[in-house]
Amino acid sequence: MTDTLALTNFIKKNINIDDEDLKIVLSYFKTIKKNKNDILLSHGKNSQVSYFVKKGCLRLFYINEEGKDVTRYIAFENQFATELVSFITNEPAQETIQVIENSELLYITHDDFRHLMTIVPKWKDFYSIYLEKAYVNNAKRLISFTTLDASERYKQLFKINPNIVKRLPNKIVASYINISHETLSRIKSKILY
């Protein structure tokens, strides 16, 4: 049970589920360890797995039309990560999932995830909440790109998710808030924490 304690707590925080159904859900998750810089999903492949981060960090990124690396999502401990569009549509992924820190992950396959929705009705509730949170987070990020300047975006990121700033290289932080590495360096040199 300690192997799935973090996932258990995460699920219970989001839905009211009885112990029997929770036991069924947990039985579909497997454990895997991955090293820094491993690629879990490559651009163009179908996303058939959803990951829960027990320890470490994953990032989802794509290469834009200028050939620039753009980080769209970062998952630390107690967060799920998958290339959601591909996971839902079964179309080739537009993003890559990369391990940023040595990581311990729990994962579930797409087929098992869908099967759980048919045998554990509460899992549908969990999925609905997960999708809603993903939508809200993405919408807020997109809005910040057009309403906040680079310095404001950095300050907001530090306030909302300081782990990104504290644990990740500047290159990834800059990519995540859609600014250049040089701009990030200038902003950080002016800010007193």
Side-chain angles (χ1 to χ4, degrees), residues 1-46:
M1 185 68 169
T2 55
D3 193 40
T4 57
L5 183 61
L7 179 58
T8 296
N9 291 337
F10 183 84
I11 292 169
K12 285 185 169 184
K13 186 175 148 188
N14 284 282
I15 58 169
N16 186 9
I17 187 169
D18 66 49
D19 290 342
E20 192 57 39
D21 282 347
L22 180 60
K23 192 174 176 183
I24 292 168
V25 168
L26 295 175
S27 73
Y28 282 87
F29 281 84
K30 311 268 186 296
T31 303
I32 191 170
K33 291 184 179 184
K34 288 293 185 176
N35 296 319
K36 181 178 179 176
N37 294 324
D38 283 352
I39 299 297
L40 299 175
L41 175 72
S42 298
H43 172 270
K45 302 287 185 190
N46 283 14

Side-chain angles (χ1 to χ4, degrees), residues 75-88:
F76 288 107
E77 290 82 6
N78 303 316
Q79 291 181 301
F80 271 93
T82 190
E83 209 280 19
L84 201 50
V85 173
S86 178
F87 193 77
I88 292 169

Side-chain angles (χ1 to χ4, degrees), residues 31-163:
T31 303
I32 191 170
K33 291 184 179 184
K34 288 293 185 176
N35 296 319
K36 181 178 179 176
N37 294 324
D38 283 352
I39 299 297
L40 299 175
L41 175 72
S42 298
H43 172 270
K45 302 287 185 190
N46 283 14
S47 178
Q48 293 298 308
V49 176
S50 184
Y51 299 95
F52 179 79
V53 182
K54 280 180 54 183
K55 180 180 172 223
C57 179
L58 306 178
R59 83 169 176 134
L60 278 79
F61 72 95
Y62 62 94
I63 306 301
N64 71 10
E65 56 279 348
E66 289 117 37
K68 217 171 87 177
D69 176 311
V70 179
T71 300
R72 187 191 61 77
Y73 180 69
I74 295 168
F76 288 107
E77 290 82 6
N78 303 316
Q79 291 181 301
F80 271 93
T82 190
E83 209 280 19
L84 201 50
V85 173
S86 178
F87 193 77
I88 292 169
T89 64
N90 203 28
E91 294 173 356
Q94 297 300 305
E95 298 173 305
T96 297
I97 302 177
Q98 179 186 28
V99 179
I100 300 301
E101 299 173 347
N102 291 341
S103 297
E104 291 178 37
L105 311 166
L106 291 166
Y107 71 92
I108 185 169
T109 66
H110 176 270
D111 290 344
D112 285 347
F113 194 98
R114 291 284 183 194
H115 179 66
L116 275 177
M117 289 197 289
T118 64
I119 62 171
V120 178
K122 285 286 185 178
W123 193 244
K124 283 183 187 175
D125 295 344
F126 178 84
Y127 187 46
S128 176
I129 290 166
Y130 173 76
L131 291 175
E132 286 175 0
K133 287 180 179 179
Y135 177 81
V136 168
N137 288 338
N138 280 332
K140 284 181 177 180
R141 276 195 70 231
L142 286 174
I143 291 167
S144 77
F145 291 158
T146 58
T147 61
L148 302 176
D149 67 26
S151 179
E152 292 168 327
R153 285 200 303 272
Y154 177 78
K155 288 175 188 172
Q156 181 183 61
L157 176 64
F158 191 82
K159 181 180 174 188
I160 293 171
N161 198 342
N163 269 336

